[in-house]
Amino acid sequence: TEAEVKAATQTERVVRARKLPLIACSVLAFGFGLYGVQLYMSLTRTPQLCDLPADLSDRFDKDAEGWDEKVNTSERMLRLTSLRKSMMQRARGHVLEVAVGTGRNIPFYPTKRCDTVTLLDQSLPMLQVAKKKWKDEHPEYFRRVFFKNQSALDPITPPYGAQDGYDTVVQSMGLCSTPEPESELRNLESVTKRDGGRILLLEHGKSYYEWLNNLLDKTAPAHANEHGCWWNKDIGKIVEDSGLEIVEMKRYNFGTTWWLELKPGKG
């Protein structure tokens, strides 16, 4: 009967409504559980600081092929994918991206607003993955993209037409893996156009909260040994010491995710 059909439909709606919170809670529980496991592993496998070299780039070499699969879930949960997308919408003119890694920003490049794109990374295996990704994502733009296998601490030569410097310099999750972050930022400043050029950073580091900073400090050596990055750096102090001027700054995920737009300093 019509009444029975309505009753069945209503029951189905109630069951569906009850399932949604359970699904959401399950996803959150999985995320916190995953993060907790990473912290536990870091706490139980903490190497001595003296055992770690200043340059940990070999960690990226061995993980290049499986890097995307390794970080996909955590980046989605921390909203890093959407932050990457919004950051890349500000790219224009001659663009330099350092610490490009496997090219996780590549899908979001506004190529119609880019005169040239230079992708730089110290890890050749990582850069090779990024090169393949660029070919897949932007095959029509391959003649104006350049790949540089070098450290961001070494002198960087802009392409023809960008003698005054790059219009946009991009770096995501790079300050954590360089032994000289202030020097790197000054080097990036030296190749950024002084009149209107911008440096865009998406980094992770210290939190707003001391309890979380203590946890990050305690687990940092093991995390660096495993992943090649120190996740407890004070990004704000690094930027301040570099002499760059902050145009805009936002922080997410208890303050551990730093989104910054910088410009060359007045000095």
Side-chain angles (χ1 to χ4, degrees), residues 121 204 218:
D121 201 283
H204 57 186
K218 191 170 184 179

PDB file of all heavy atoms in Angstrom, residues 121 204 218:
ATOM      1  N   ASP A 121      65.000  20.837  -8.151  1.00  0.00           N
ATOM      2  CA  ASP A 121      65.086  19.969  -6.981  1.00  0.00           C
ATOM      3  C   ASP A 121      66.466  19.331  -6.933  1.00  0.00           C
ATOM      4  O   ASP A 121      67.076  19.041  -7.979  1.00  0.00           O
ATOM      5  CB  ASP A 121      64.017  18.873  -7.010  1.00  0.00           C
ATOM      6  CG  ASP A 121      63.758  18.302  -5.623  1.00  0.00           C
ATOM      7  OD1 ASP A 121      64.575  17.500  -5.134  1.00  0.00           O
ATOM      8  OD2 ASP A 121      62.742  18.693  -5.013  1.00  0.00           O
ATOM      9  N   HIS A 204      55.519  23.437   6.848  1.00  0.00           N
ATOM     10  CA  HIS A 204      55.050  22.970   8.156  1.00  0.00           C
ATOM     11  C   HIS A 204      56.158  23.155   9.184  1.00  0.00           C
ATOM     12  O   HIS A 204      57.345  23.074   8.874  1.00  0.00           O
ATOM     13  CB  HIS A 204      54.540  21.533   8.110  1.00  0.00           C
ATOM     14  CG  HIS A 204      55.522  20.526   7.608  1.00  0.00           C
ATOM     15  ND1 HIS A 204      55.182  19.224   7.390  1.00  0.00           N
ATOM     16  CD2 HIS A 204      56.834  20.618   7.288  1.00  0.00           C
ATOM     17  CE1 HIS A 204      56.233  18.553   6.954  1.00  0.00           C
ATOM     18  NE2 HIS A 204      57.245  19.368   6.882  1.00  0.00           N
ATOM     19  N   LYS A 218      60.305  16.258  20.273  1.00  0.00           N
ATOM     20  CA  LYS A 218      60.717  14.926  20.714  1.00  0.00           C
ATOM     21  C   LYS A 218      60.761  13.930  19.560  1.00  0.00           C
ATOM     22  O   LYS A 218      61.594  13.014  19.533  1.00  0.00           O
ATOM     23  CB  LYS A 218      59.763  14.426  21.805  1.00  0.00           C
ATOM     24  CG  LYS A 218      60.252  13.179  22.519  1.00  0.00           C
ATOM     25  CD  LYS A 218      59.411  12.871  23.738  1.00  0.00           C
ATOM     26  CE  LYS A 218      59.974  11.670  24.497  1.00  0.00           C
ATOM     27  NZ  LYS A 218      59.172  11.354  25.712  1.00  0.00           N
TER      28      LYS A 218
END
